[in-house]
Structure formats: structure tokens, C-alpha cells
Amino acid sequence: MKTTVSRRQFLRVSALAGGGMLIATHLDAFGIAGSLGEGAPAEETLNAFIRITPDGVVTIMAKNPEIGQGVKTMLPMLIAEELDVDWTDVRVEQASFDPDKYDGQFAGGSNATPQAWLPMRRVGAATRTMLVAAAAQEWDVPAADCETEAGVVRHRGSGRSAGYGELATRAAAMPAPDLDAVPLKDPAEFRIIGSRIPGVDNHAIVTGEPLFGIDFTLPGMQWAVFQKCPVFGGKVRDANLDHVRGLPGVTHAFVVEGGDSLNGLLDGVAVVGESWWATNRARRELEVTWDEGPTASQSSEGFAHQAAELFEGPAGFSVRSDGAADDALAGAAQVVEAEYDYPFLSHATLEPQNCTAHYRNGRLEIWAPTQTPQSGRGLVARTLGLEPEEITIHLQRIGGGFGRRLANDYMVEAARIAMEVEGPVKLLWTREDDMRHDFYRPAGFHRLSGGVDDQGRLVAWKNHFVSFGEDESFASSAGVSANEFPARFVPDFELGASLIPFGIPTGALRAPGSNGLAFVYQSFIDELAHAAGRDPVDFRLELLSREVEGQGLDPERMRGVLELAAEVSGWHTRRGQLPRGTGMGVAFHFSHRGYFAEVVQASVSPEGDLTVDRVWAAGDVGGQIINESNAEHQTQGAVLEGISQALGQEITIEDGRAAQGNFNVYPLLRHAQAAPVEVHFLRSDNPPTGLGEPPLPPAIPALTNAIFDATGHRVRSLPINKHDLSWS
Amino acid sequence: MKVSFTVNGEPVSVDVPPEMPLLWVLRDVLELKGTKFGCGIAQCGACTVHLNGNATRSCVLPVSQAEGAEVRTVEGLSPDGTHALQQAWKELDVPQCGYCQAGQLMSAAALLERNGSPTDQEIDAAMNGNICRCATYLRIKQGIRAAAGLPATEDGSMEGSAGGAAHPTPSS
């Protein structure tokens, strides 16, 4: 993925046919300074950030894929703020994938905010500078004597004014300023940044306009389904294609030969027809003989057995070792030992995977709900023998990303099918296809030993992490950072790993790595706090008060959110007044540059029925929240997703395949389970960072710690619904 | 087989297999894409429409059972997005990814048509068949309460929304 660090930015400007101006930045990969200025080639006008027409309407292109994280609203807000226009005069359009014009067109890693915060504002500010220059030239006054407000340039001395729409054509001929040097607003003057701006697609969503990938159609479009082997990576041996071809509504049935990479095109049978429903129904009569391959012998149960065996020996390799953990444990006043595990999870985006593709005249045009169009294009080009330039990708609103659409398996399937079919074709997966062919959040197993001294301080930590991968290379999203808390904060610290080779596709799920590790580490820290007889908040604050070196979380910022979470939840007062069976739990986690501490209050009936009563979330993602509405909402959604995962989500692998196929056996959180989530932001003096992911991880251990506080049951294995929580 | 019914007040007649679910008739025969496919087994509610005023999962309803019925989809909730629920959804910024919201709106509209002043418990009961994978549940409930003219929360607190309350750092 590209970053914007130390890269010179070009500004390209051109006049619109019919008046107005258009502006684009290009973040040059080769670091060559300069400006193309006016006279950019005509095709440059096809993609840009800003278009101003003579009537004063400002159209801003949203460059990144919208997956529900609010980026289609947020990026244009940054531009509009510095352009100094009224948000009501702004129209937003989704840009297509175009790496020649836009940088960083992807959705992932909570990266949009930190990556776009300055570049998008500079685009707006540079355009404003040119509009001012145009007015100054027209009025023959110094630009410094002119100011802007809400889409109007005004000359302070004479009071003359002109709307941006009137100035746009002249502005397009002004020299483009150096983006790195263009002055930006004082945050005290922000009118759009920091306000509550509803999503730009809200009207289209609530009126049912076709917006999503699944809604997109083309004249003459056919529909496709794709049957893969239920065992990951299995090969087609034989299929009753002739029979399927004769079924009503079916136009094609053919075997697709895939490769061996689970991230690429896999073997399967494509069925194409006139309607999706008829085509999918034909699958009921599709009979495929599979060569299931070696993964057919793998299972979640088997992995758990392997983990138990591996725990009997030393870790396969060291991830981090500070001091002498074994000696420190031997000398500790108290030692706690525990084993934790968490299961595979499916992303379960509500919009099933789909993609529309049309191959003609040696070119492939794709309409895809994808988080990573660039890698999708690369995968399609590599797999199908095309040049990347022969592939066009249009971005569509995405009915949930969560990391699932970082992979482009559905894109390469649609593209492959389109190359065999005349005219456009849309591939649509069923829910079962989707849940059984995901890139799962990997399961993980941990054996932990922790020691506290006679002062009740955590002094020794030893963690054997059994995960998945080959040799010393973790599978996707199955790893752990050597700096993961409490590394650096515990003097005698040992983190080792053993890896189980496997054939299950894994990938990033919202806050990857963190969504499993936070549960384990913040739960075990809770166990140690109780063993030490310390308050769980105070125990953590002491840990965060130690002098540390190296990369990782900033203890001052984490103390800030932990203290805030304790304050807003009434931790030190409310907790002591709760009835039996009701408890409060706390946890914090640092991920994706964001700091979150959360408190959960939960109640468990004597029969063991669990209710999440309330959540308090305190976050520090910098001094400036860009969109107050979305920031609060993303936090609430991430917290509730964490609770959803913890309560009942689990994919079990049986005979090399995912046992769960739909929501009846993979329960997502529902209305009646959604606890109120209070959101509080600590405005620290740091640049703004992303919010899609960091609020999620602490929600899980805060809940399991609350269950312990309520009942004395320590949940060490997820999901919670497999445990008997009854008490008397 | 020919099946006749009305959709958003307009009479329609389709010639499709009788077991074809209403969802796919709406989406791919009548080109009304607002109603969504999520699970195909009436578990997620993305496909919710009104059948003679009742919230119905169209993904499992054979179109033959719509014969003579009045079908209402999200496109028919109002001519211009001004239904009280649609207004509330826009003002409160309810959608995240937005995919489930048509189904949420149709379940909510059916609820308010038979109960203009629902309790939170009644809202939960009526809406529990509609999954929101982004978990926008708190704002959905707020939206239903706003559309019904009810206070933001049942107990009058700032439930579920501290408004992203600002807290300056002690050091700055």
C-alpha cells in the first residue's frame, strides 16, 4: 500500500468544457517536484477531486471505497472545509479506480483519516487560493486583500464579491500552488470538520435507489453462480455439466480450473443463466465429484488437540524475550496460569460477495464492491493473462467490508466467467457460499503464566501462543507483534509461538490480530489483578505508569482513556453498588493508532442468562474528530460487533470445511441484545487517526471481565454461549 | 404462471415460475433493487416488504402467494423520501453500510402502522428479525422513536449517545 509520507504532490488543473474548473492532485511516486498547471491533457478532466460549475455547485469526488466506514462523506468534508464552501452546496460522486489520478484507493487498516487528513485539505486550500487569485486578477487588487466565505470571494476594501461559480473558469488558468506550502485554516475556523454531517448516500439508501454492487445491472447481463469444493482448495474431478446445461434458464455450465493459492482463483463449476434465481436453483441438480485434497482431514477439534500437545513442549520460536521470565515467575509472590482460546470467525457482510464483469475487444470492465481495487486488478491480470491497463474497475458502495473485501476472490471468479461468456455477467454468491468460503479470522490458543510481586505489581509474563502458519511465518492475521502490550511494560517477559500448518484461508477481520489478542491479554491481566487483590483499573494504571522504551502504545494516552472510562462509567462508585449477578469489567487496547478503554456492565441471572446492560467507551484518536456523527456511530458499531463476536459467533472447521453456512447457526447480534454504548473522546494533542477498528478489541474482554465480576465465572474460551454461567 | 398483484399501488402481472420468491421477482423482474438479498432463509430481514400491510420476508415467499396482494417496498414508502422514518433515518444518520436499512425501515413502518407509540420492548420484538451487521441498532431505535414523536429515550436519559462528548486532555 502506498503512503503519502515524504512524497511531492502535483496539482493538476484544467478548465471544464462549458465553464468551471476541475482540480486533481497526483501523489507522484517518483518524488519529482513540479506542477503541470494549466493545459493538462483533456483526458485528465475525467477524474479529479473538485468540479465547480458556473451555478456555484461544487462536486467533490470521493476516491476511496465506501464500506460503511463513512469515508465517502469524510474525505469530501476535508476538501470542502478548506475550499470554504457551504456543505449544502456540495455534491459527492464516487470515483472509479484510477491509480494515475488518485493515490491510496483502498479501504483498510483505519488508514483513510491519517493518510487523507492533510492531502485532502491541501486540495481544498489550493483550489481556494486559485479562486482568490482569479478574483484578485479580475478586480486588479492584491490577493492578500481578499477573503472567502461560503463559496464567495470578497475584497475587503471595496466590498466587491463574486461566487466561486463565476470565478471558476478564470481560476482554472491561475498557477497551481505548491500543495505542500499552501496555507491551511486554523482549526478554530473549522465549520464542516468537527460537525455532524450525515452520510452523503443516506437519501439514496432510505429510498431504495440502486447503489450497491448487487444492484448494478447492464443491458443483456447474464447471471452466474460458482460452486467451489466445500473443502478449501479441492479440485473438480467430474461434473454433470450436460444435465445442468439443459435445465430451465441455464445458458452455460463449465468447469473453471483454478490454481493452488487460496487467495487466487480456485477450482469450481460456473453456471450461467438468464436470472440469478433460476441459475442458482439449477445448482440443486449440479453433481460434482471433488478431489478434496489434504485439507479434508483438518478440523477445529484437531487444531485444539495439536495446540494442547504443543503446550506440553517449549514454543517453536521466540517472538520477544526480555529479562528472565522463568526466574521471575519462580520468585514471584503469586503466579497465575491459564489457557485461553478463540475460534475462527466469518465476516458475514450482509451483502453477499458479488461482482459484475464484461469482457470485450480484449478489455475487461469490472464493477466491484472491493476494498482493494488495485490488488484486485493485479490478481485478475495475473490470473487471466491480461495487462493491468486492459482492466477497468468501477467502485460501488459496499454492503459491509470488515476486511472481507480486501480479498478479491469473487472478482477474479467473475472476470474468469466473463471471459467465457458473450456480454456482461454478474456473479452473486449465496449466503452459504459466502460463509463457507471466507478468509476467516484465525483461531488462536494461548498458554499464559503471570507473576505479581508482594506489592501486587505485575512483574513476570510468559505466553506460548499456538497459531497457524509454516515454519516461523504466521498465516494471514494470525500473528502477534513483538510490541503487543504488555510487552515493554513487564521487565521479565517472554512471548513464543508455535505454528500449526493448515489449509484454511484466513484474513483480516476488523481490528485483525487485536480482536483475539485483546480478549486474551486483557482477561489475563484481569486475572492477575484479582490474584494481586488490586482494583482492575488501578492495577492497569500502575502498569501504564512505568517508564518504557521502544515502539508501541504511548502509556500517557492510554492512561488518559482508562481514567476517562473509569470516570464516565462511575467505576469506583457504581461498581460497589451493583446487585448480585451484575458486574462491571474494564479493558483497553491500542490498535491502528487508536487508544480505547471500555467498561461493560453485564448481568447474569442465576440460571445463567446473560444481558449486556451498558457500555462506556473512551477513545483517543487525536485532537480533532472530523465527523462527530460518524465517529460516535463507528465506535458504537465496533463495540457492538465485538460483543456480537463474543456472545455467539464461531466457525468450526469439520473435515476441512466450514460447518456453518447461514445466520441460523452463526448468530449475529440482534436489536434486543444491543446495549447502549456511551462514547467519549479525549481530545489529545495528536493528529487525527482512524476509528473503524480500534474501538472493537476492548469490548470483548471488558464483557468477559464483567461476567467474572458478576458471577465468578472466568470465560477463557470464546464464544460465551458455550459456557454455563449459572450461579447460586 | 401468471401472477398478478400490486406493487406500491401499481398493478403488475408477471409470468414466472410460481415458486420463484417474491424477492427475486421484485429485484430482477420488476427492477426494484431496494429490497435486498441477505440470507435466503428469512433469518436477516434484509428482504422485508409489506404484504397486505404485514412485514414479510420476501426471500422465502413464493410469488404465487402474492396473487391479488398489495405489496409495498421501500421504494413505495413515500414518493420522495419524506416518510417520517426516512426523515428520521437521514437526520439521525442511521445507516453505516446501509445494506440492511430498507428491511429495517419496512419492519419499522409496519410496526408504527399498528402501534403508533411503541415501547422499547415492543420495538425490539418487532425489529428482532432484522440484522444490522454494522450494528446501527441504537440509532435505528432512536429513529423509530423520533418518527413516532417519542422522546429520544424511554427513560429520558442520553441513552446510547453521549454525543461523542469532548474531554480535553488534562495536560493540554
Side-chain angles (χ1 to χ4, degrees), chain A residues 6-162:
Chain A
S6 70
R7 189 169 296 159
R8 299 300 296 264
Q9 302 173 346
F10 288 98
L11 191 61
R12 298 177 183 181
V13 187
S14 56
L16 283 177
M21 73 185 292
L22 170 152
I23 194 159
T25 60
H26 178 66
L27 305 177
D28 173 45
F30 303 99
I32 305 162
S35 169
L36 298 178
E38 69 251 58
E43 63 268 23
E44 295 294 329
T45 64
L46 292 175
N47 274 285
F49 282 103
I50 301 171
R51 205 162 65 226
I52 302 175
T53 45
D55 60 4
V57 170
V58 178
T59 302
I60 300 180
M61 302 305 285
K63 71 180 178 74
N64 286 6
E66 174 61 64
I67 58 175
Q69 84 281 47
V71 78
K72 190 175 176 183
T73 305
M74 188 272 277
L75 296 183
M77 283 173 69
L78 299 177
I79 294 174
E81 178 69 70
E82 297 287 350
L83 184 59
D84 211 11
V85 291
D86 268 343
W87 184 250
T88 50
D89 293 330
V90 171
R91 309 287 175 269
V92 174
E93 286 180 17
Q94 175 70 55
S96 285
F97 171 62
D98 191 340
D100 292 335
K101 311 225 166 37
Y102 301 111
D103 197 51
Q105 285 187 282
F106 70 93
S110 296
N111 277 311
T113 295
Q115 290 189 1
W117 170 242
L118 288 177
M120 292 300 103
R121 288 171 63 204
R122 286 172 177 151
V123 167
T127 312
R128 178 187 160 278
T129 302
M130 294 164 74
L131 288 156
V132 168
Q137 186 186 66
E138 189 166 318
W139 300 332
D140 196 21
V141 298
D145 292 346
C146 297
E147 60 193 10
T148 60
E149 191 190 348
V152 174
V153 183
R154 187 169 289 109
H155 178 237
R156 272 188 293 268
S158 66
R160 289 184 69 171
S161 67

Side-chain angles (χ1 to χ4, degrees), chain A residues 253-604:
Chain A
F254 53 92
V255 170
V256 168
E257 196 180 325
D260 292 324
S261 166
L262 294 176
N263 294 306
L265 181 66
L266 293 175
D267 258 38
V269 176
V271 184
V272 182
E274 293 156 1
S275 89
W276 184 79
W277 176 76
T279 306
N280 189 54
R281 191 174 59 160
R283 272 170 97 175
R284 291 196 306 208
E285 296 188 40
L286 172 65
E287 290 169 9
V288 188
T289 309
W290 303 102
D291 176 1
E292 294 184 343
T295 301
S297 64
Q298 298 177 11
S299 68
S300 290
E301 205 183 341
F303 297 143
H305 283 302
Q306 284 172 275
E309 282 170 22
L310 287 162
F311 282 148
E312 296 305 311
F317 61 100
S318 172
V319 177
R320 183 184 184 117
S321 183
D322 298 331
D326 283 324
D327 294 348
L329 284 166
Q334 289 208 69
V335 174
V336 179
E337 294 187 332
E339 285 179 15
Y340 279 80
D341 66 79
Y342 42 84
F344 292 94
L345 294 178
S346 173
H347 295 81
T349 64
L350 205 57
E351 180 192 20
Q353 308 316 314
N354 67 86
C355 182
T356 307
H358 190 188
Y359 182 70
R360 58 186 155 171
N361 306 324
R363 294 189 59 86
L364 190 58
E365 195 166 8
I366 291 172
W367 294 261
T370 172
Q371 294 180 235
T372 56
Q374 181 138 19
S375 52
R377 189 176 71 161
L379 173 66
V380 171
R382 266 194 322 277
T383 309
L384 303 180
L386 296 167
E387 294 300 323
E389 296 71 31
E390 292 168 337
I391 302 167
T392 304
I393 299 180
H394 305 284
L395 302 179
Q396 295 171 308
R397 191 176 179 91
I398 297 174
F402 312 108
R404 174 61 183 86
R405 298 181 226 249
L406 295 167
N408 289 285
D409 45 341
Y410 49 89
M411 189 194 287
V412 73
E413 288 172 7
R416 169 65 181 79
I417 293 166
M419 291 185 75
E420 195 143 331
V421 171
E422 188 78 15
V425 63
K426 179 187 216 75
L427 170 73
L428 171 61
W429 290 14
T430 62
R431 173 57 50 197
E432 289 78 10
D433 292 332
D434 197 279
M435 201 169 282
R436 296 202 165 111
H437 291 282
D438 202 342
F439 293 84
Y440 304 94
R441 190 288 295 272
F445 309 86
H446 294 258
R447 174 171 252 185
L448 294 140
S449 309
V452 292
D453 65 13
D454 54 11
Q455 310 284 307
R457 292 178 310 190
L458 177 56
V459 292
W461 179 281
K462 189 174 178 182
N463 176 201
H464 184 177
F465 176 28
V466 173
S467 188
F468 298 96
E470 301 268 355
D471 302 320
E472 296 187 8
S473 175
F474 289 101
S476 175
S477 299
V480 60
S481 158
N483 296 323
E484 190 65 57
F485 189 86
R488 299 157 66 225
F489 290 82
V490 180
D492 294 292
F493 179 95
E494 194 175 314
L495 170 57
S498 301
L499 302 185
I500 302 172
F502 74 157
I504 313 301
T506 61
L509 169 67
R510 198 174 193 171
S514 298
N515 53 33
L517 297 172
F519 158 64
V520 174
Y521 297 156
Q522 289 288 316
S523 296
F524 191 59
I525 286 170
D526 219 58
E527 294 202 52
L528 290 158
H530 285 279
R534 299 281 300 275
D535 175 272
V537 168
D538 296 343
F539 186 78
R540 287 173 171 83
L541 284 173
E542 187 279 318
L543 198 48
L544 290 168
S545 299
R546 299 178 185 182
E547 291 283 320
V548 289
E549 290 176 351
Q551 296 267 313
L553 70 84
D554 173 347
E556 186 187 343
R557 295 183 72 181
M558 194 58 90
R559 283 199 309 273
V561 294
L562 182 55
E563 285 167 352
L564 179 57
E567 178 196 325
V568 296
S569 66
W571 175 268
H572 289 291
T573 49
R574 183 188 182 101
R575 190 159 157 260
Q577 299 162 6
L578 298 172
R580 275 197 77 202
T582 297
M584 289 169 81
V586 66
F588 66 75
H589 191 75
F590 168 71
S591 74
H592 300 86
R593 308 178 181 85
Y595 293 77
F596 271 85
E598 292 164 18
V599 172
V600 168
Q601 180 186 308
S603 298
V604 182

